[in-house]
């Protein structure tokens, strides 16, 4: 309600009662930390494409989560992520959060999937890497998609595309990312620079990062 996109929390591994509760409310334990936790629920609840699900189902009650007392070390398409999954009465919603850049990197609703990923999450300075997008239309009618992708001053990316996606079809796009030789080092446990992807899917805006 206050407009934040991310919540953070610190506790300790011996907190056997609280850690499962924190996980049930959307916090994930960052690996190799003394229980430093991140929670992307506020950003997800504001997603326009997620509103059809949350208008019908309670986010807390239908949130599917393993409440285990250990670090949440997960990979998706080579990216370090936290996966959020909701499901009830045949409706579902999946969101992948990039824990390194602290952005949402992929979303799957009952009508579409949209995800952004990179060939290497630790590319060498002065070199290039590739960013990729995958889009799937799960509806029975075509959808239109516009993409505007950008980087930072040292991590250069400027890519635009417009396409029509037929029912049941998947399209894959890619672009080259250039890293300047003077790209700053990333400090441990701090957010890394993110490549931003603004998607307009049938006039609905979705911002992803990786």
């Amino acid at each position: 309600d206050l407009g934040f996109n991310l919540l953070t929390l610190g506790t300790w591994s011996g907190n056997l009662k609280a850690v499962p509760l924190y996980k049930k409310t959307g916090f994930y334990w960052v690996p190799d930390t003394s229980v430093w936790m991140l929670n992307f629920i506020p950003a997800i609840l504001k997603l326009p494409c997620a509103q059809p699900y949350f208008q019908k189902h309670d986010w807390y009650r239908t949130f599917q989560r393993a409440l285990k007392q250990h670090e949440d070390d997960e990979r998706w398409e080579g990216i370090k992520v936290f996966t959020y999954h909701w499901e009830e009465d045949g409706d579902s919603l999946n969101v992948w959060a990039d824990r390194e850049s602290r952005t949402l990197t992929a979303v799957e609703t009952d009508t579409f999937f949209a995800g952004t990923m990179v060939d290497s999450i630790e590319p060498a300075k002065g070199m290039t890497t590739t960013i990729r997008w995958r889009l799937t239309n799960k509806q029975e009618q075509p959808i239109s998609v516009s993409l505007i992708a950008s980087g930072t001053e040292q991590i250069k990316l400027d890519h635009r595309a417009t396409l029509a996606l037929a029912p049941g079809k998947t399209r894959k796009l890619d672009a080259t990312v250039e890293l300047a030789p003077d790209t700053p080092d990333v400090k441990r446990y701090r957010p890394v620079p993110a490549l931003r992807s603004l998607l307009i899917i049938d006039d609905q805006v979705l911002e992803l990062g990786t």
Side-chain angles (χ1 to χ4, degrees):
D1 290 343
L2 294 176
F4 294 101
N5 288 324
L6 176 68
L7 303 175
T8 63
L9 181 151
T11 184
W12 59 293
S13 58
N15 199 343
L16 301 180
K17 292 185 177 180
V19 169
L21 171 63
Y22 297 148
K23 288 193 172 189
K24 177 59 180 172
T25 59
F27 284 93
Y28 282 74
W29 180 347
V30 178
D32 303 319
T33 68
S34 174
V35 198
W36 180 246
M37 309 187 85
L38 303 178
N39 187 338
F40 293 85
I41 291 286
I44 297 172
L45 290 177
K46 292 190 292 185
L47 287 174
C49 61
Q51 298 314 304
Y53 181 89
F54 292 130
Q55 287 170 1
K56 293 174 59 179
H57 310 284
D58 179 75
W59 79 264
Y60 179 81
R61 184 174 51 80
T62 65
F63 181 38
Q64 308 292 313
R65 182 74 200 280
L67 307 179
K68 297 182 179 179
Q69 195 84 3
H70 58 59
E71 301 171 345
D72 295 301
D73 192 3
E74 183 183 355
R75 300 291 190 278
W76 175 82
E77 300 286 349
I79 302 170
K80 299 175 184 178
V81 299
F82 300 135
T83 301
Y84 289 81
H85 174 65
W86 287 268
E87 187 171 356
E88 186 178 54
D89 296 336
D91 299 325
S92 65
L93 173 67
N94 294 291
V95 180
W96 292 262
D98 182 338
R99 76 170 193 245
E100 298 279 84
S101 64
R102 300 188 184 178
T103 60
L104 305 182
T105 196
V107 175
E108 183 176 24
T109 70
D110 287 336
T111 59
F112 73 85
F113 168 87
T116 175
M117 55 222 73
V118 288
D119 280 359
S120 172
I121 61 173
E122 296 181 353
K125 297 181 183 183
M127 303 296 287
T128 63
T129 188
T130 301
I131 182 172
R132 303 185 187 280
W133 299 272
R134 188 166 76 243
L135 305 162
T136 300
N137 181 3
K138 301 169 65 177
Q139 302 181 74
E140 295 182 355
Q141 61 269 1
I143 60 174
S144 62
V145 181
S146 295
L147 166 67
I148 303 173
S150 60
T152 66
E153 182 178 354
Q154 286 91 12
I155 305 176
K156 301 182 185 302
L157 170 67
D158 185 7
H159 186 76
R160 298 166 186 262
T162 301
L163 58 100
L165 198 55
K169 296 298 183 180
T170 295
R171 283 285 300 274
K172 297 179 181 179
L173 307 172
D174 62 71
T176 299
V177 180
E178 298 180 10
L179 281 81
D182 60 347
T183 303
D185 291 335
V186 175
K187 295 182 179 179
R188 187 171 174 82
Y189 303 131
R190 299 299 299 169
V192 305
L195 299 169
R196 303 285 178 174
S197 298
L198 184 67
L199 293 158
I200 304 174
I201 304 172
D202 275 351
D203 298 323
Q204 198 169 76
V205 177
L206 173 62
E207 183 174 350
L208 301 176
T210 188

